[in-house]
């Protein structure tokens, strides 16, 4: 902590869309108060001044997809007392991890004329390389959860970040259950968004990643019994969390079962 | 690559054509044509040095990652490399094989600043491929969603990303520390929140909206929330004008290249957002289906951004300045009067005038969102009827191909998809506004830097950054961008 006594904040960007960083700037009502309560020391998207570490809290946005990013995430860990995953890319691989289903060369050649200058590696969550102290879920993060975490850090209280199933939140809001008609990932997805999509007539797409303690393999089998093809199930479970460990296990279990039949 | 091809703006893509399509010699030749330059008076005069290297390793206050490397030898610009090092995420690669229903949601994640633009463009392209027509209600709601996105993105750029340069602060947060600037910052943040709330009113949330799907919307906006937004919009008039007048006080540098080709959509009845025909200041005309006949992309290593060129010609310049230059007469009279009041004239060839175009588009977005909101609220007297008109139809997957062009906050956006018989993506082609602009940014920098050589390295770096920032680049979109490095010898 600096002489000012304010904790020093850093925001790092890896492979991402910058939407989660924008969510920090989207707390318009409180942005100037936050900037008074903490020292925003490193946040290139917002400021040209990039003060060197160490920092008290570091937020990492994005999946790790290149050797340079592996170095940067390791450096971030060394520079920060607390390191927080900012959104589902950093937490679970997010949308960038959708490419992991393909051979790297195949996806490169579909986009670039000179793939030899690229050095992209399989998209991994931050925790694949370094230890994390907290995770803010979502694609994008919920601004309230960012505030909850910063406030918690400022007053020394454990932030309330739900990791139970979205269905609980959805039922409490008395939304109509969409699981019967659609491929809804609510049962296995972590709450915290207020069941936004089901409230607006869309099934849950799983952007907050798997809830704690859910049986992903069992859920995958249930979807198969409902008649969904394995490729569809894989695409859906992997849309925002392809690199979450339970997803790979669930898909492997499904494949073995098919092979046994 | 031979020189004739280079002259014609046609880079060979054949293997072995070399990984440096722009040879230093040709680059130097381009620098010979002196642009019309009137940069503001340099405060820090720099004695001529033999060798200088100016670099911006990590460009701040842009979306995404890029660097700039400038090598100066014997007081001449020797080399200038704008390097987009944002890690590529291969959207066009991993979309292959996905159901068409997944596409709008996934492409939204190309960019957290203009997610609705990517969604809406993908929806239009896919609806063409699938033969789906949308109701007038859907069309207007989509226009409101896109206009709210432009509103939010422009306030973010003008106030949080660009103004700190002109007022000499590292960020808006330091600006807010100054008592005389704080009210303006608070007004801008209030506008930004309003624009975000408008986006969320239609789309469900501000970043990565969820309600817009093939053929319609999964839910109808809430009437009570809409009425509250109408009040807030009405109350925001002064906030918009304060921001506009603040931009009018800025002393803009000037960079005009006569050969620049502005490209934007033009629509017969309205200021273009989601619809229109592609036009340029040099006579280009195209529709989504013929876009590829007029615009080509080249991958110029080591950059991770694909660079766009007008076929047979050179670079292109898209964005709010291009829109304003090509659509002046389709702007509401209030916006044209405001420009007159500020003493601004369009068309304007000065790259740095983009911030004026953006400020005027904030006024446009405020006016247009009020108009559209009123219209939507009038339908909501009978919500069940609206629900029927916007409810997404059942669509069967089928083979087809569809392209769409829209005006995102940063300019022309192109999406094209080919689907197989089950409606799965066979190929995807996406060209973002920043990808359209990045080659033109390089041309602009090459024209601008020679006039800056007597300034300090820090001043050169700042001026280069300001030039690049004036495009409001989104390197996440284009890496499929900025550090500045100046090398003096």
């Amino acid at each position: 902590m600096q002489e000012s006594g304010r904790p020093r904040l850093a925001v790092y960007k890896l492979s991402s869309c910058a939407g989660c960083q924008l969510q920090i700037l989207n707390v318009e009502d409180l942005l100037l108060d936050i900037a008074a309560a903490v020292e925003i020391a490193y946040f290139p998207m917002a400021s040209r001044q990039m003060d060197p570490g160490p920092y008290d809290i570091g937020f990492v946005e994005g999946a790790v997809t290149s050797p340079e990013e592996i170095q940067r995430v390791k450096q971030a860990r060394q520079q920060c007392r607390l390191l927080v995953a900012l959104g589902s890319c950093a937490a679970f691989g997010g949308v960038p991890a959708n490419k992991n289903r393909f051979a790297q060369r195949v996806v490169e050649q579909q986009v670039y004329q000179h793939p030899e200058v690229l050095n992209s590696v399989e998209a991994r969550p931050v925790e694949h390389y370094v230890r994390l102290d907290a995770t803010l879920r979502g694609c994008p993060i919920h601004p309230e959860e960012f505030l909850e975490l910063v406030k918690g850090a400022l007053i020394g209280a454990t932030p309330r970040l739900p990791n139970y199933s979205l269905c609980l939140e959805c039922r409490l809001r008395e939304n109509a259950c969409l699981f019967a008609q659609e491929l809804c990932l609510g049962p296995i997805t972590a709450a915290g968004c207020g069941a936004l999509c089901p409230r607006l007539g869309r099934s849950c797409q799983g952007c907050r990643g798997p809830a704690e303690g859910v049986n992903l393999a069992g859920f995958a089998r249930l979807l198969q019994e409902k008649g969904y093809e394995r490729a569809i199930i894989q695409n859906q479970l992997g849309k925002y969390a392809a690199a979450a460990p339970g997803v790979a296990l669930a898909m492997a279990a499904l494949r073995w079962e098919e092979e046994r039949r | 690559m031979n020189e004739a091809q280079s002259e014609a703006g046609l880079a060979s893509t054949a293997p072995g054509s070399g990984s440096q399509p722009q040879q230093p010699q040709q680059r130097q030749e381009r620098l010979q044509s002196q642009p019309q330059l009137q940069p503001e008076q340099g405060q820090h005069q720099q004695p001529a040095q033999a060798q200088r290297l100016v670099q911006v390793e990590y460009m701040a206050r842009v979306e995404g990652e890029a660097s700039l490397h400038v090598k100066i030898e014997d007081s001449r610009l020797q080399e200038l490399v704008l390097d987009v090092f944002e890690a590529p995420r291969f959207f066009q690669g991993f979309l292959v094989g996905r159901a068409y229903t997944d596409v709008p949601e996934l492409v939204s994640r190309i960019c957290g600043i203009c997610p609705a633009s990517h969604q809406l463009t993908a929806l239009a392209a896919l609806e063409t491929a699938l033969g789906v027509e949308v109701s007038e209600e859907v069309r207007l709601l989509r226009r409101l969603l896109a206009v709210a996105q432009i509103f939010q993105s422009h306030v973010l750029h003008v106030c949080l990303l660009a103004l700190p340069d002109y007022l000499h602060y590292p960020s808006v947060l330091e600006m807010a520390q100054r008592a005389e600037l704080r009210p303006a910052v608070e007004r801008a943040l209030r506008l930004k929140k309003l624009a975000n709330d408008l986006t969320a009113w239609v789309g469900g949330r501000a970043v990565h909206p969820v309600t817009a799907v093939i053929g319609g919307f999964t839910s109808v906006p809430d009437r009570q929330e809409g009425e509250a937004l109408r009040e807030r919009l009405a109350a925001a008039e002064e906030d918009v004008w304060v921001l506009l007048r603040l931009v009018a006080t800025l002393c803009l540098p000037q960079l005009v290249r006569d050969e620049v080709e502005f490209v934007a959509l033009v629509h017969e009845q309205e200021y273009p957002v989601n619809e229109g025909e592609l036009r340029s200041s040099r006579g280009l005309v195209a529709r989504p289906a013929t876009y590829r006949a007029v615009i080509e992309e080249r991958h110029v290593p080591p950059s991770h951004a694909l660079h766009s060129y007008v076929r047979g010609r050179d670079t292109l310049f898209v964005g709010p300045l291009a829109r304003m230059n090509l659509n002046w007469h389709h702007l509401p009279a209030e916006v044209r009067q405001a420009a007159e009041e500020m003493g601004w004239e369009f068309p304007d060839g000065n790259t740095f005038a983009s911030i004026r175009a953006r400020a005027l588009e904030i006024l446009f977005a405020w006016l247009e969102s009020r108009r559209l909101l009123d219209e939507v609220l009038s339908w909501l007297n009978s919500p069940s009827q609206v629900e029927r008109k916007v409810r997404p139809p059942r669509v069967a997957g089928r083979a087809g191909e569809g392209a769409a062009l829209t005006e995102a906050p940063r300019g022309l956006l192109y999406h094209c998809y080919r689907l197989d018989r089950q409606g799965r993506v066979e190929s995807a082609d996406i060209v973002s506004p920043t990808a359209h602009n990045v080659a033109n940014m390089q041309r602009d920098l090459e024209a601008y830097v020679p006039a800056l050589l007597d300034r300090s390295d820090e001043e050169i770096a700042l001026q280069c950054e300001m030039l690049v920032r004036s495009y409001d680049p989104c390197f996440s979109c284009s890496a499929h961008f900025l550090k500045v490095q100046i090398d003096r010898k």
Side-chain angles (χ1 to χ4, degrees):
Chain A
M1 234 179 256
Q2 244 191 355
E3 315 83 65
S4 62
R6 296 181 298 158
R8 308 186 77 219
L9 226 82
V11 181
Y12 302 87
K13 183 185 186 299
L14 304 176
S15 296
S16 63
C17 76
C20 288
Q21 296 184 69
L22 182 65
Q23 287 288 64
I24 297 178
L25 299 175
N26 281 348
V27 290
E28 293 95 352
D29 290 339
L30 294 169
L31 187 60
L32 299 180
D33 295 327
I34 294 168
V38 302
E39 181 194 340
I40 297 175
Y42 179 84
F43 189 176
M45 185 167 126
S47 180
R48 203 171 180 253
Q49 189 161 335
M50 302 176 211
D51 295 332
Y55 312 108
D56 295 291
I57 313 175
F59 292 92
V60 184
E61 182 198 74
V64 185
T65 74
S66 74
E68 293 78 26
E69 289 181 344
I70 296 172
Q71 293 313 310
R72 272 155 69 197
V73 78
K74 288 181 176 175
Q75 192 189 16
R77 178 68 266 184
Q78 285 168 353
Q79 286 175 325
C80 300
R81 230 191 237 176
L82 293 173
L83 195 67
V84 182
L86 189 71
S88 290
C89 293
F92 313 111
V95 166
N98 278 283
K99 71 169 184 155
N100 294 355
R101 294 185 297 121
F102 299 90
Q104 186 60 33
R105 280 287 166 211
V106 173
V107 282
E108 287 175 2
Q109 280 161 3
Q110 274 159 348
V111 187
Y112 291 93
Q113 294 156 8
H114 299 276
E116 67 278 4
V117 301
L118 306 171
N119 55 1
S120 194
V121 298
E122 199 161 293
R124 294 286 186 195
V126 169
E127 211 153 24
H128 186 79
Y129 297 101
V130 299
R131 181 177 54 81
L132 279 172
D133 299 296
T135 293
L136 294 178
R137 296 163 172 270
C139 184
I141 60 154
H142 202 296
E144 287 297 328
E145 290 198 329
F146 170 77
L147 288 173
E148 174 80 15
L149 191 120
V150 172
K151 284 190 287 191
L154 281 171
I155 62 170
T158 303
R160 280 180 58 249
L161 301 170
N163 56 10
Y164 45 80
S165 159
L166 186 89
C167 287
L168 177 60
E169 216 165 39
C170 201
R171 301 314 307 207
L172 284 170
R173 286 179 176 260
E174 302 183 354
N175 295 330
C177 181
L178 298 170
F179 188 72
Q181 309 99 299
E182 292 177 50
L183 206 171
C184 181
L185 293 189
I188 53 119
T189 300
C193 58
L196 179 81
C197 292
R199 182 166 63 80
L200 296 170
R202 272 196 83 170
S203 59
C204 172
Q205 305 295 306
C207 86
R208 295 178 57 83
E212 193 152 299
V214 291
N215 182 357
L216 284 171
F219 184 72
R221 203 181 310 119
L222 181 65
L223 292 178
Q224 201 171 37
E225 283 163 12
K226 282 175 63 129
Y228 292 104
E229 284 173 33
R230 188 155 55 87
I232 302 271
I233 298 169
Q234 176 157 359
N235 281 346
Q236 199 67 6
L237 286 180
K239 207 189 270 181
Y240 298 94
V247 172
L249 277 171
M251 292 317 300
L254 221 54
R255 202 157 45 240
W256 290 330
E257 241 166 73
E258 268 180 25
E259 282 163 10
R260 277 204 299 271
R261 278 202 295 268
Chain B
M1 183 181 59
N2 63 45
E3 282 192 22
Q5 275 178 320
S6 171
E7 285 292 318
L10 293 164
S12 165
T13 57
S17 66
S19 57
Q20 295 293 331
Q22 297 294 343
Q23 296 303 319
Q25 196 190 339
Q26 292 161 0
R27 204 171 253 170
Q28 199 56 42
E29 280 169 12
R30 281 205 316 269
L31 296 173
Q32 305 297 323
S33 63
Q34 277 303 310
Q36 178 193 341
L37 263 181
Q38 298 169 336
E40 54 187 348
Q41 291 307 306
Q43 302 92 327
H44 312 289
Q45 292 283 314
Q46 178 83 8
Q49 262 176 277
Q51 305 183 349
R52 293 167 81 188
L53 174 76
V54 182
Q55 46 188 5
V56 176
E57 291 283 345
Y58 195 145
M59 188 159 287
R61 301 204 314 274
V62 296
E63 198 284 293
E65 301 175 291
S67 67
L68 184 64
H69 174 112
V70 181
K71 201 159 152 192
I72 300 163
E73 226 171 290
D74 301 323
S75 299
R76 280 173 67 98
L77 175 61
Q78 207 55 46
E79 195 184 5
L80 191 150
V81 180
L82 181 61
D83 179 18
V84 178
F85 68 94
E86 170 90 23
R89 290 173 293 154
F90 306 100
F91 275 84
Q92 288 163 233
F94 71 65
L95 284 171
V96 172
R98 305 292 297 223
Y100 70 89
T101 46
D102 279 349
V103 173
E105 177 188 344
L106 283 168
V107 296
S108 165
R109 272 72 186 181
I110 290 173
C111 179
I113 322 294
C114 59
S117 307
H118 281 286
Q119 272 183 18
L120 293 170
T121 314
L123 287 169
L126 290 164
E127 284 162 358
T128 302
L130 295 161
V132 174
E133 302 225 345
V134 300
S135 65
E136 184 61 15
E137 286 77 4
V138 169
R139 201 189 87 87
L140 281 188
L141 277 170
R142 286 181 179 178
R143 184 169 169 90
L144 178 54
L145 189 55
V147 165
Q149 178 98 96
I150 289 171
F151 198 171
Q152 188 278 139
S153 179
H154 281 5
V155 173
L156 174 77
H157 176 80
V158 169
C159 187
L160 277 71
L161 308 184
L163 268 182
D165 283 333
Y166 288 99
L167 303 177
H168 310 290
Y169 292 93
S171 82
V172 75
L173 300 173
E174 285 80 9
M175 279 167 55
Q177 306 295 313
R178 300 296 298 265
E180 72 274 23
L181 287 171
R182 188 162 178 117
V185 172
E186 285 176 348
R187 283 177 187 278
L189 288 172
R190 199 154 62 210
L191 279 178
K192 188 171 158 314
K193 184 178 172 65
L194 174 58
N196 269 335
D197 290 349
L198 264 170
T199 309
W201 184 64
V202 183
R205 75 181 159 197
V207 177
H208 304 318
V210 300
T211 59
V213 295
I214 303 279
F217 286 84
T218 61
S219 82
V220 173
D222 179 81
R223 187 181 166 167
Q224 229 173 346
E225 285 173 24
E227 277 163 359
L229 279 167
R230 174 154 63 185
E231 301 299 312
R232 285 170 61 197
L233 270 166
E237 180 164 15
E238 204 182 332
D239 296 344
V240 171
W241 279 93
V242 166
L243 191 59
L244 203 55
R245 291 204 178 92
L246 186 57
V247 171
T249 64
L250 304 179
C251 176
L252 303 183
Q254 186 150 349
L255 173 67
V256 178
R257 291 188 301 115
D258 292 334
E259 65 274 26
V260 74
E261 182 158 5
F262 289 103
V263 176
L265 295 183
V266 172
H267 189 277
E268 277 174 21
Q269 281 102 33
E270 57 190 22
Y271 196 71
V273 178
N274 289 332
E275 295 160 38
E277 197 175 67
L278 183 150
R279 299 274 177 88
S280 85
S281 54
R282 297 182 62 188
L284 214 57
V285 179
R287 291 171 293 107
T290 58
Y291 166 89
R292 274 296 174 208
V294 298
I295 307 288
E296 62 167 347
E297 272 184 311
R298 303 174 206 159
H299 178 205
V300 186
S303 176
H304 291 171
L306 301 170
H307 295 195
S308 289
Y309 295 83
V310 177
R311 280 186 199 274
R313 285 207 285 268
D314 200 50
T315 61
L316 61 156
F317 189 166
V318 305
L321 186 61
R323 281 197 288 264
M324 206 139 276
N325 285 344
L326 293 164
N327 289 281
W328 184 247
H329 295 289
H330 285 301
L331 279 165
E334 294 96 317
V335 178
R336 284 179 280 143
Q337 277 159 16
E340 200 174 322
E341 204 173 307
M342 303 296 149
W344 301 340
E345 271 181 40
F346 291 90
D348 189 334
N350 180 14
T351 299
F352 289 96
S354 294
I355 194 168
R356 293 178 178 162
R358 233 166 252 125
L360 289 170
E361 283 197 344
I362 290 171
L363 176 61
F364 161 75
W366 175 74
L367 289 161
E368 187 72 355
S369 47
R370 289 185 80 182
R371 182 181 77 81
L372 292 165
L373 183 85
D374 280 346
E375 178 143 5
V376 175
L377 282 173
S378 72
W379 313 331
L380 289 176
N381 290 324
S382 46
S384 60
Q385 207 174 333
V386 185
E387 207 177 321
R388 266 201 308 279
K389 295 254 176 69
V390 306
R391 188 184 297 150
R394 289 212 167 272
V395 178
R398 66 171 215 196
E401 189 168 346
L405 287 167
T406 65
E407 285 289 343
R410 289 158 190 78
L412 189 72
L413 173 60
Y414 173 74
H415 280 234
C416 179
Y417 303 96
R418 200 172 68 231
L419 304 176
D420 70 14
R421 276 171 25 197
Q422 277 85 44
R424 287 177 306 215
V425 176
E426 262 179 1
S427 71
D429 188 4
I430 299 166
V431 189
S432 74
T434 301
H436 281 128
N437 274 336
V438 71
N440 200 65
M441 278 179 217
Q442 169 91 21
R443 292 278 192 278
D444 267 6
L445 284 162
E446 288 165 350
Y448 193 49
V449 170
L452 301 171
L453 295 179
D454 58 348
R455 309 225 194 153
S456 69
D457 287 1
E458 293 72 33
E459 183 65 14
I460 296 176
L462 177 63
Q463 288 292 325
C464 288
E465 284 186 59
M466 285 171 73
L467 178 59
V468 172
R469 269 199 285 280
S470 74
Y471 283 84
D472 190 11
C474 174
F475 297 117
S476 294
C477 283
S478 70
H480 333 191
F481 175 81
L482 202 88
K483 12 179 218 179
V484 182
Q485 176 178 321
I486 304 183
D487 200 349
R488 297 204 194 225
K489 278 189 184 161

